[in-house]
Amino acid sequence: MAVEERYLPDVEAILSHRHDQGADYWTTPDNRLLKGSPFSAYHSAQMLLELGVPPYDPALQGVAELFFSCWREDGQFKLYPGGSGFPCQTAYAAKLLCQLGHAGDPRVGKTLAHLMATRHSDGGWRCKKFFFGRGPETECSNPMPTLTALNAFRYAGQSDDPALNSAVEFLLEHWVIRAPIGPCHYGMGTRFMQVEYPFYDYNLFPWVHGLSFYEYAREDKRFLEAFEALKDKLVDGQILVERVVPKLAKLEFCKKGQPSELATRRYREILQNLGMDG
């Protein structure tokens, strides 16, 4: 998919932030690849892909090389120079590299194997850093990293692996629990139910979109309830952006309070996955 002419200013706006943090490709001199959101290396690459910039574009492949430079022999990625690596960082890196055409790289294969082998007892992914203290809820996995990891596996063509069903089940059960869970306290409140675009945080739209690629979810009543909740928000068959990161407010493809054609394309992918595109 090529960038449509009307979105070229959005691409230029994102590219204009490429050196904001003191190094190339939206990062810092010491390669903090998640720093500077929404114009971090990770999120900038995500937005360019969403706008139709091809994965082989030199800027995007430059980002890919940065991520590969943070790969460890055990398959983990450490996206900050200090401290420990976390499952969320590895999941983000795996997802992006698969999107950029590197799903067949042996390093990515080792990373996916590492993720598969390091799931928490509830099927998801969980770090051991407790920002909000400890409690029964922090014994659960973190929903957002779990969703990100599932997206990595489906971009790698592995969404039919039954070993991932437990991770899907964990997210489906969160639809029932709703309360903040995991060490990072991801919940399903008012903000979760607002349609945010582009996909940035843990909320209804990317939740339904990501799980729609998994057969285990598609026929489950919890998923279908969430899908209906998203469907109810359509305006004339289009996705209306209810929430956007403030720094992206001036971009054409994601204006708050307006229908978004690119967001609607993502919604149509859900319909296709459900066999409802006709």
Side-chain angles (χ1 to χ4, degrees), residues 117-132:
T118 56
R119 287 169 294 159
H120 189 47
S121 58
D122 57 17
W125 284 268
R126 173 179 177 268
C127 69
K128 296 181 180 179
K129 189 166 185 177
F130 300 89
F131 296 95
F132 303 98

Side-chain angles (χ1 to χ4, degrees), residues 122-195:
D122 57 17
W125 284 268
R126 173 179 177 268
C127 69
K128 296 181 180 179
K129 189 166 185 177
F130 300 89
F131 296 95
F132 303 98
R134 290 175 179 263
E137 76 284 357
T138 62
E139 292 304 308
C140 298
S141 292
N142 273 328
M144 180 62 179
T146 298
L147 181 60
T148 303
L150 285 173
N151 276 319
F153 281 106
R154 60 102 170 171
Y155 275 117
Q158 299 182 30
S159 61
D160 59 349
D161 189 337
L164 294 168
N165 288 350
S166 58
V168 175
E169 173 63 30
F170 164 71
L171 289 180
L172 291 172
E173 188 58 20
H174 195 205
W175 180 256
V176 178
I177 297 170
R178 296 298 180 100
I181 59 173
C184 293
H185 277 201
Y186 288 95
M188 288 185 172
T190 302
R191 285 175 62 86
F192 177 89
M193 297 302 294
Q194 293 175 344
V195 174

Side-chain angles (χ1 to χ4, degrees), residues 240-259:
L240 187 76
V241 178
E242 295 181 307
R243 184 156 54 91
V244 68
V245 177
K247 290 183 179 180
L248 305 179
K250 294 183 179 180
L251 299 186
E252 178 66 28
F253 82 112
C254 57
K255 286 187 177 296
K256 183 178 179 179
Q258 296 185 19

Side-chain angles (χ1 to χ4, degrees), residues 66-131:
L66 278 179
F67 273 80
F68 273 128
S69 74
C70 299
W71 184 80
R72 301 300 178 88
E73 282 295 329
D74 63 359
Q76 293 188 79
F77 282 83
K78 190 175 178 182
L79 304 184
Y80 285 90
S84 303
F86 294 107
C88 58
Q89 295 181 21
T90 297
Y92 282 129
K95 173 178 176 283
L96 179 60
L97 288 169
C98 286
Q99 288 178 274
L100 292 176
H102 298 286
D105 189 288
R107 291 167 292 183
V108 175
K110 194 168 184 178
T111 292
L112 294 174
H114 168 82
L115 285 170
M116 191 70 84
T118 56
R119 287 169 294 159
H120 189 47
S121 58
D122 57 17
W125 284 268
R126 173 179 177 268
C127 69
K128 296 181 180 179
K129 189 166 185 177
F130 300 89
F131 296 95

Side-chain angles (χ1 to χ4, degrees), residues 29-85:
D30 57 353
N31 285 352
R32 297 172 183 263
L33 300 183
L34 297 178
K35 181 179 173 60
S37 293
F39 297 110
S40 65
Y42 175 80
H43 286 105
S44 295
Q46 291 286 310
M47 287 189 288
L48 291 175
L49 287 169
E50 196 73 7
L51 286 161
V53 176
Y56 53 80
D57 181 87
L60 289 176
Q61 287 306 308
V63 172
E65 288 305 312
L66 278 179
F67 273 80
F68 273 128
S69 74
C70 299
W71 184 80
R72 301 300 178 88
E73 282 295 329
D74 63 359
Q76 293 188 79
F77 282 83
K78 190 175 178 182
L79 304 184
Y80 285 90
S84 303

